[in-house]
Amino acid sequence: MTIAIHTSKNLSLDEFLALPETKPASEYINGKVYQKPMPQGKHSTLQFELSSAINRVGKPEKLVYAFPELRCTFGGRSIVPDIAVFEWKCIPLDEEGEIANRIEIDPDWTIEILSPDQNPTRVIDNILFCLDRQTKLGWFLDPQERSIITFRPQQQPVVKRADDRLPVLDVLQDWQVCVNDVFAWLSFT
């Protein structure tokens, strides 16, 4: 469940960013602060395995990198996608050529994993917000339904199930993954 943290007034983005980080992370949306739910077993497993799979494919050739729980502040919001994927050439770097601490652009691919009792509307709203900027692809994983809704800018969302092949960023066009591949990571038998 996402928790709205009540304040006596709407905070500005700068006021929010000056607050100490929370665990689990809080997001800033339309002047309000919402704390994300604590990840549970299925969520944590999917987040780890999917990030790892994307990085196994994208990192050696310096195509993409998947960051779990990376705060991205842009367009008046500060959100923490479950997985934020950046094309290698778009990864924000500091003066030393290392990843910047403050990410002030939207990811190229945003991935959200629905947690039990989490508000799906707010999660989907964050995906749509990203797509209205420069994000090229969004995935919304629903472990209970074993489905993944895929989003692309200016297109209808598509519900994918079972052996349906999932779209990936163009730079990963040789990587093929289907819905069953993703949810198979939940099995420990």
Side-chain angles (χ1 to χ4, degrees):
M1 172 167 83
T2 303
I3 301 168
I5 299 173
H6 299 285
T7 59
S8 57
K9 65 178 183 90
N10 281 354
L11 293 175
S12 71
L13 180 56
D14 288 336
E15 289 171 324
F16 169 76
L17 293 172
L19 295 173
E21 281 290 345
T22 60
K23 200 165 189 126
S26 292
E27 297 182 310
Y28 178 85
I29 303 168
N30 300 327
K32 293 190 172 36
V33 179
Y34 299 92
Q35 189 169 19
K36 294 183 78 166
M38 182 61 75
Q40 296 181 16
K42 289 179 183 4
H43 183 284
S44 291
T45 302
L46 289 169
Q47 184 179 35
F48 176 80
E49 294 293 343
L50 187 51
S51 296
S52 297
I54 292 168
N55 288 335
R56 271 192 305 276
V57 172
K59 186 178 177 188
E61 300 296 321
K62 296 185 177 180
L63 301 172
V64 301
Y65 195 85
F67 298 90
E69 301 289 328
L70 179 68
R71 178 170 302 288
C72 299
T73 302
F74 60 94
R77 285 191 188 190
S78 187
I79 61 173
V80 183
D82 292 324
I83 303 171
V85 182
F86 287 88
E87 289 188 18
W88 202 272
K89 65 184 179 190
C90 299
I91 297 171
L93 305 176
D94 63 17
E95 307 79 41
E96 286 83 38
E98 297 176 347
I99 180 76
N101 276 326
R102 290 188 69 159
I103 307 303
E104 296 179 336
I105 61 172
D106 55 312
D108 293 300
W109 177 7
T110 184
I111 301 171
E112 295 285 1
I113 304 160
L114 188 64
S115 293
D117 300 322
Q118 189 175 22
N119 181 330
T121 303
R122 188 169 299 113
V123 177
I124 291 170
D125 181 60
N126 275 348
I127 294 171
L128 295 173
F129 180 81
C130 290
L131 291 170
D132 283 341
R133 301 321 180 263
Q134 299 296 316
T135 298
K136 300 171 186 170
L137 179 63
W139 283 9
F140 176 77
L141 284 69
D142 186 336
Q144 183 175 347
E145 294 292 322
R146 293 293 197 266
S147 67
I148 299 175
I149 303 174
T150 62
F151 298 83
R152 291 206 182 256
Q154 301 174 359
Q155 292 182 18
Q156 289 288 332
V158 178
V159 179
K160 303 279 191 170
R161 292 186 175 87
D163 291 323
D164 290 341
R165 187 173 163 198
L166 293 162
V168 296
L169 290 174
D170 290 344
V171 297
L172 297 176
Q173 64 188 349
D174 293 335
W175 184 45
Q176 295 186 19
V177 62
C178 72
V179 174
N180 283 341
D181 296 332
V182 173
F183 291 114
W185 291 321
L186 296 175
S187 179
F188 282 78
T189 59

